[in-house]
Amino acid sequence: MHLPSAAARRTMPRLEPLVLALALVSSIAVARGEDPVLVNVTGPLAAKLGEKVTFEVELVNRSGRPLTGLRVIDYFDRGFHHEASASPIEQRGTIDMAAGTSRRLTLDFLTDEPGRQCHRVEILDQAHTFMGGATECVLVTAPATAAPAAAPA
């Protein structure tokens, strides 16, 4: 291995720590890659016990190729209730998406328990390979109770 001489090292440009950090982050992102399907879930941040909460799920095919036979599965906490069944639920049928297209779905739950209640949407292909996912949570609180009436004097 040949190392530069001391004089050559003094004249060589020095890579700043920031440049090195950016290079490292960039290489990690490339090595990790992005999920082929971006999943965005939006909905309320808070709800009252017994309320219906609605989430909008947007799926974006960012793979650069058509995706066929995608399955949408939702895993949710026991503090949520869905009319179809207990967790997990799966959308009927599959979804096909051309490259660069998006699709919107709606999920409705009833809140059954107070506390932080979460659900996770996962997209799988026909080979059960994970293609994308996202988690969204709601803080469920008990409805305010009326103060007891004062006893007559």
Side-chain angles (χ1 to χ4, degrees):
M1 180 170 160
H2 174 70
L3 295 175
S5 68
R9 283 194 305 262
R10 282 192 298 272
T11 61
M12 291 174 68
R14 181 174 169 228
L15 290 177
E16 296 298 323
L18 178 59
V19 172
L20 290 173
L22 289 174
L24 179 62
V25 168
S26 176
S27 66
I28 289 171
V30 169
R32 187 185 129 256
E34 293 181 334
D35 294 332
V37 178
L38 172 67
V39 180
N40 287 317
V41 181
T42 56
L45 297 176
K48 298 287 184 204
L49 189 62
E51 280 185 343
K52 175 181 161 184
V53 291
T54 299
F55 296 94
E56 185 172 291
V57 179
E58 180 186 27
L59 310 176
V60 180
N61 178 356
R62 61 182 180 188
S63 70
R65 61 184 169 84
L67 298 174
T68 60
L70 298 177
R71 297 171 47 217
V72 180
I73 303 169
D74 193 279
Y75 301 88
F76 52 92
D77 290 344
R78 68 181 200 178
F80 279 142
H81 173 86
H82 192 274
E83 65 183 21
S85 73
S87 181
I89 56 174
E90 184 169 347
Q91 178 180 336
R92 289 189 183 127
T94 58
I95 295 176
D96 296 336
M97 298 180 74
T101 61
S102 64
R103 189 81 166 271
R104 291 185 187 272
L105 312 168
T106 301
L107 284 168
D108 295 321
F109 295 99
L110 288 176
T111 57
D112 290 341
E113 291 184 19
R116 186 171 184 256
Q117 306 300 333
C118 301
H119 72 108
R120 175 158 181 80
V121 178
E122 290 189 358
I123 310 302
L124 304 176
D125 69 6
Q126 293 174 333
H128 307 289
T129 303
F130 180 84
M131 302 297 282
T135 300
E136 186 73 13
C137 300
V138 174
L139 180 59
V140 179
T141 56
T145 57

Coordinates of all heavy atoms in Angstrom, one line a residue, residues 5-14:
S5 N 3.3 11.2 0.5 CA 4.4 11.7 1.3 C 3.8 12.8 2.2 O 2.7 13.3 2.0 CB 5.5 12.4 0.5 OG 4.9 13.5 -0.2
A6 N 4.5 13.2 3.2 CA 4.1 14.2 4.2 C 3.8 15.5 3.5 O 2.8 16.2 3.7 CB 5.1 14.4 5.3
A7 N 4.6 15.9 2.5 CA 4.4 17.1 1.7 C 3.1 17.0 0.9 O 2.3 18.0 0.8 CB 5.6 17.4 0.8
A8 N 2.9 15.9 0.3 CA 1.7 15.7 -0.5 C 0.4 15.8 0.4 O -0.6 16.3 0.0 CB 1.7 14.4 -1.3
R9 N 0.5 15.2 1.6 CA -0.6 15.2 2.5 C -1.0 16.6 2.9 O -2.1 17.0 3.1 CB -0.3 14.3 3.7 CG -0.5 12.9 3.4 CD -0.5 12.0 4.7 NE 0.6 12.3 5.6 CZ 1.7 11.5 5.7 NH1 1.7 10.4 5.0 NH2 2.6 11.8 6.5
R10 N 0.0 17.5 3.1 CA -0.2 18.9 3.5 C -0.9 19.7 2.4 O -1.7 20.6 2.7 CB 1.1 19.6 3.9 CG 1.6 19.2 5.3 CD 2.7 20.1 5.7 NE 3.9 20.0 4.9 CZ 4.9 19.2 5.1 NH1 4.8 18.3 6.0 NH2 5.9 19.2 4.3
T11 N -0.7 19.3 1.1 CA -1.3 20.0 0.0 C -2.6 19.4 -0.4 O -3.4 20.0 -1.2 CB -0.4 20.1 -1.2 OG1 -0.1 18.8 -1.6 CG2 0.9 20.9 -0.8
M12 N -3.0 18.2 0.1 CA -4.2 17.6 -0.3 C -5.4 18.3 0.3 O -5.3 18.7 1.5 CB -4.2 16.1 0.1 CG -3.2 15.2 -0.7 SD -3.1 13.6 -0.1 CE -4.7 12.9 -0.5
P13 N -6.5 18.4 -0.4 CA -7.7 19.1 0.3 C -8.2 18.2 1.4 O -8.1 16.9 1.3 CB -8.7 19.2 -0.9 CG -8.3 18.2 -1.9 CD -6.8 18.0 -1.7
R14 N -8.7 18.8 2.5 CA -9.2 18.1 3.6 C -10.7 18.0 3.5 O -11.4 19.0 3.3 CB -8.8 18.8 4.9 CG -9.2 18.0 6.1 CD -8.7 18.7 7.4 NE -9.4 18.1 8.5 CZ -10.0 18.7 9.4 NH1 -9.9 20.0 9.5 NH2 -10.7 18.0 10.4

